[in-house]
Amino acid sequence: MGRSYFVEEAVGQYLSDFSTKPKACVTGLLIGQCSPQRDYVILAIRTPPRGEQNESNKNYPKLADIDEEWVTGHASQLSRMLPGGLLVLGVFIVAAPELAKDIQNALRKLVFSVEKSIGKKRLWNFAEEEVSDRVALHLCSATKKILCRTYDMQDPKSSAKPADWKYQSGLSAFWLSLECTINVNIHIPLSATSVNYELEKNTRNGLTRWAKQIEEGVFLINGQAKDDDAELLEGQKKSSRGNIQHSIQPFDVKVLTQLALKRDIINTLSDRCEILFEDLLINEAPEKKNSEREYHALPHRAFASIAGSNVMLCDYKFGDETAGEIQERFFEMLDQVVHGEAIHIAEEINIVDINPPVDNTDDTQQMQLTKATLLLKFQQNIGVVIAAAVAIFAVAFSFNYFSD
């Protein structure tokens, strides 16, 4: 028996709207959550048009014109906007019936490419018991018929398996979004002996070691390790949605409070560093490249709620960016308008307190200064230093709960 996908009704309407242009071929991504029992799809997002495409030609006229690199690039960018608990579950294509013969090959290629692209930047690994299937959906623009199949991402030679696609009204209205803050204090020694060693690669290696520690860590709730699902659930219901009498499956509590929160912590710091490096490559002035030391603040997280849903997605904002720029990125990446009042900039603190050594200090003061300047001694020949000695980051994750 194949997997079952429970889908927000708004997703069905979104997909159907593309069939008004029956000769066009539309690609996009499916966003949701996996569990051993069932999967949930809460968003479908069309691949944004390339810069040279105008309003009247946003779609591909035929399968051969699908730009795989553009689709996977969108998936990588979008994955940054998903808090813990949400994933890119697969891809969809809306196409005319005459393309049906080749559509499955195109879908298969896309779904594996998308997962590979996202996985390259992931600093954590899926557990063996987690779902590795991803969905490939075909909607015929003429008949409105849906063909839903899955592929096992752990097996590149896997064949398609049939899956059920079931619409459900108000699915995402019963989701919880949990938020917390975390103090991050990471020193990543950067090589001072090899000027050719890539700063980004070195930083990623340091983050990978740190991510391993986070994955192996134990989370405390109110100072206690909560192994009792019922006790944790009761606390969530009282603080978040006490008037709703539903229960969370044990899997959802155990997996999503541990794995999803840990992964969100790892993802958000990794994404911030990656975005910073991208910004430096685009905007760094040539005369600064040989500078001995520079300090850069990591971008802050901005959350936005999706219309008609409790689910929140995120983006990252540098200090000089406006709310309008954040709105534009949300629209480009999500294909839907996010109003300014719906955007919440997380109140985060970036602190760098590094003092130069002085001669007239006692041993205690000198030890403190040595600890503060240790990182800089590894960076004498490095052009860029991340200004994040201590940072308080906002993290969040979303999960679904359902009645017995």
Side-chain angles (χ1 to χ4, degrees):
M1 183 177 178
R3 298 193 63 78
S4 293
Y5 288 86
F6 290 81
V7 187
E8 175 67 60
E9 278 189 345
V11 171
Q13 184 59 53
Y14 180 83
L15 295 174
S16 295
D17 289 344
F18 295 125
S19 61
T20 58
K21 297 181 179 180
K23 298 299 181 182
C25 177
V26 183
T27 65
L29 304 171
L30 299 168
I31 308 300
Q33 183 184 101
C34 293
S35 78
Q37 296 86 11
R38 60 188 76 178
D39 297 331
Y40 303 91
V41 178
I42 60 172
L43 283 175
I45 303 172
R46 180 188 60 176
T47 306
R50 294 188 69 101
E52 62 269 19
Q53 290 178 290
N54 56 40
E55 286 296 318
S56 61
N57 185 32
K58 285 186 175 182
N59 308 318
Y60 304 108
K62 52 187 178 179
L63 291 177
D65 294 328
I66 293 177
D67 190 334
E68 181 180 335
E69 184 178 359
W70 187 252
V71 175
T72 56
H74 177 227
S76 295
Q77 292 288 323
L78 184 61
S79 65
R80 292 173 174 172
M81 306 178 76
L82 305 180
L86 294 181
L87 296 170
V88 176
L89 293 186
V91 300
F92 71 82
I93 292 181
V94 182
E98 55 266 28
L99 300 177
K101 181 179 179 181
D102 299 319
I103 202 78
Q104 290 306 314
N105 287 334
L107 279 168
R108 189 184 195 284
K109 187 177 181 181
L110 275 182
V111 74
F112 275 97
S113 296
V114 163
E115 183 65 20
K116 181 179 180 181
S117 176
I118 297 173
K120 281 181 179 178
K121 300 178 180 180
R122 202 178 276 144
L123 296 184
W124 46 268
N125 298 315
F126 284 104
E128 291 183 2
E129 63 273 15
E130 290 186 76
V131 177
S132 59
D133 285 356
R134 294 294 179 264
V135 62
L137 186 78
H138 171 216
L139 172 64
C140 178
S141 58
T143 65
K144 308 298 189 295
K145 182 179 178 181
I146 284 179
L147 182 60
C148 181
R149 296 182 176 180
T150 62
Y151 294 91
D152 185 354
M153 296 296 101
Q154 293 184 349
D155 180 9
K157 298 181 180 180
S158 67
S159 57
K161 294 178 289 187
D164 291 330
W165 186 263
K166 304 176 181 179
Y167 289 112
Q168 185 172 331
S169 177
L171 176 66
S172 57
F174 298 106
W175 284 52
L176 294 176
S177 291
L178 306 184
E179 300 180 17
C180 72
T181 59
I182 178 173
N183 290 336
V184 178
N185 188 345
I186 308 173
H187 285 182
I188 302 175
L190 302 177
S191 173
T193 58
S194 175
V195 295
N196 295 323
Y197 197 89
E198 299 177 13
L199 174 63
E200 183 174 359
K201 182 177 180 180
N202 202 346
T203 302
R204 182 177 174 84
N205 289 341
L207 289 175
T208 301
R209 293 190 292 271
W210 170 78
K212 181 71 171 176
Q213 296 174 344
I214 294 293
E215 282 194 280
E216 295 175 350
V218 176
F219 273 79
L220 302 180
I221 308 239
N222 294 329
Q224 298 179 352
K226 296 289 187 179
D227 294 325
D228 188 338
D229 293 332
E231 185 179 355
L232 176 60
L233 171 60
E234 186 64 25
Q236 292 169 342
K237 287 169 64 176
K238 286 180 179 178
S239 62
S240 302
R241 298 182 63 89
N243 59 328
I244 303 294
Q245 295 302 316
H246 286 269
S247 63
I248 302 178
Q249 295 283 349
F251 171 84
D252 291 331
V253 175
K254 287 181 179 178
V255 173
L256 293 176
T257 54
Q258 291 293 322
L259 293 182
L261 189 55
K262 289 178 180 180
R263 290 169 181 176
D264 191 71
I265 293 169
I266 295 169
N267 288 346
T268 187
L269 187 54
S270 174
D271 289 341
R272 288 166 206 251
C273 291
E274 185 179 5
I275 292 169
L276 174 62
F277 288 127
E278 290 174 356
D279 183 72
L280 292 175
L281 286 174
I282 295 172
N283 300 315
E284 188 78 352
E287 61 271 14
K288 289 185 178 182
K289 290 186 181 297
N290 294 322
S291 175
E292 185 176 344
R293 293 172 185 164
E294 294 181 25
Y295 299 88
H296 300 272
L298 297 176
H300 287 191
R301 206 173 194 184
F303 293 97
S305 55
I306 303 303
S309 169
N310 290 326
V311 177
M312 298 185 73
L313 303 186
C314 72
D315 194 12
Y316 293 94
K317 173 186 178 297
F318 286 102
D320 57 350
E321 288 187 292
T322 65
E325 291 175 292
I326 301 297
Q327 286 177 271
E328 289 179 8
R329 280 206 297 273
F330 270 114
F331 180 74
E332 181 183 10
M333 291 292 104
L334 304 178
D335 195 28
Q336 59 178 281
V337 175
V338 173
H339 298 289
E341 59 271 19
I343 299 177
H344 166 63
I345 307 298
E347 295 183 3
E348 302 174 349
I349 303 171
N350 289 311
I351 303 171
V352 175
D353 185 15
I354 301 179
N355 302 312
V358 294
D359 295 332
N360 56 347
T361 57
D362 58 28
D363 292 342
T364 302
Q365 290 175 316
Q366 187 63 50
M367 287 179 63
Q368 293 175 342
L369 292 172
T370 300
K371 290 175 65 177
T373 58
L374 179 61
L375 179 60
L376 294 183
K377 292 183 179 180
F378 284 93
Q379 299 166 329
Q380 293 177 351
N381 295 322
I382 299 297
V384 181
V385 179
I386 300 175
V390 178
I392 299 177
F393 291 154
V395 297
F397 70 93
S398 299
F399 62 90
N400 184 34
Y401 70 107
F402 43 88
S403 63
D404 290 329

